[in-house]
Amino acid sequence: VVETVALTDRLVVRTWADEDAAALVVIGSDPEVVRYLGGVPWSPADARSMIERYREIGDSLGVTSWALEDRRRGSLVGHCGFARTNAPCFRPEIVEIGWTLDRRRWGEGLATEAAKAVMPRALQLFEPWRIVSKCQVENIASERVMQRLGLRRAGTIRRAADNNVVYRLP
Ligand SMILES: CC(C)(COP(=O)(O)OP(=O)(O)OC[C@H]1O[C@@H](n2cnc3c(N)ncnc32)[C@H](O)[C@@H]1OP(=O)(O)O)[C@@H](O)C(=O)NCCC(=O)NCCS
């Protein structure tokens, strides 16, 4: 069953439905959207396994990256939320907040609105120092969301050609 996690002015933040896979494929078909997410468009199988992974993370971590639905139109606009970080230098159990929006919905403030709505869920489970956000240094749009959220730049992680900037709560 689909559960509402948070309501904002423009968004329903909710758990995933199997039917979201089709909209994820459309979102992940835009090269700009996947540019810093591996660069490969999302197949229907990718979309289904993303949904499965988000459900597993929610079950095991207590927070996950949730579906963002446009309240007025009822359409899936992207996702936002938490995962265990993939950076091996953070142990134990640092969680990372992230976001992805349909290319057609960039520039409306929806990622910032969603992130503000989900942050309290992680703060119920994790001390503030355990919450980070990071992105490739070239991913200015994502870094700007971090800044709009009031996060502070904490440093960079350099691994071969993959340089990431890290932000944390002040
Ligand atoms: C990262 C990403 C979600 C950011 O999307 P975005 O639309 O730039 O971010 P927001 O939704 O917060 O929108 C902010 C913009 O909307 C504008 N805006 C309009 N109304 C706003 C409001 N009420 N509140 C805040 N911003 C608002 C802002 O002026 C801002 O524009 P600016 O960047 O020119 O200042 C998007 O670029 C994306 O999906 N990227 C691909 C996936 C990805 O790389 N994810 C991160 C991996 S680490």
Side-chain angles (χ1 to χ4, degrees), residues 33 99 101 106-112 134 139 141-142 144 148:
V33 169
W99 32 69
L101 292 183
W106 290 15
E108 298 178 34
L110 292 172
T112 309
K134 69 177 170 58
N139 194 350
S142 188
R144 279 226 280 268
R148 274 183 220 106

Side-chain angles (χ1 to χ4, degrees), residues 20-84:
D20 293 325
L24 277 182
V25 170
V26 174
I27 291 170
S29 69
D30 190 306
E32 288 291 310
V33 169
V34 297
R35 185 162 170 196
Y36 302 111
L37 303 172
V40 181
W42 303 338
S43 70
D46 294 335
R48 286 192 297 271
S49 57
M50 284 166 67
I51 290 172
E52 272 316 302
R53 195 174 76 241
Y54 295 140
R55 285 173 172 153
E56 280 166 22
I57 292 170
D59 289 344
S60 61
L61 194 63
V63 286
T64 188
S65 208
W66 289 290
L68 306 178
E69 184 180 298
D70 185 303
R71 277 178 76 162
R72 207 160 45 81
R73 305 185 208 174
S75 53
L76 187 83
V77 302
H79 65 84
C80 178
F82 303 90
R84 294 180 184 86

Side-chain angles (χ1 to χ4, degrees), residues 99-152:
W99 32 69
T100 295
L101 292 183
D102 190 315
R103 179 70 186 92
R104 295 166 292 189
R105 307 303 301 272
W106 290 15
E108 298 178 34
L110 292 172
T112 309
E113 184 170 316
K116 282 183 179 159
V118 299
M119 189 61 90
R121 294 285 299 240
L123 286 167
Q124 284 172 1
L125 298 173
F126 302 96
E127 297 156 273
W129 65 268
R130 286 175 175 262
I131 301 170
V132 304
S133 190
K134 69 177 170 58
C135 65
Q136 292 179 37
V137 293
E138 299 85 3
N139 194 350
I140 304 298
S142 188
E143 184 172 358
R144 279 226 280 268
V145 175
M146 296 173 199
Q147 292 166 349
R148 274 183 220 106
L149 278 174
L151 306 184
R152 300 278 165 76

Side-chain angles (χ1 to χ4, degrees), residues 86 95 131 141:
N86 59 8
V95 299
I131 301 170

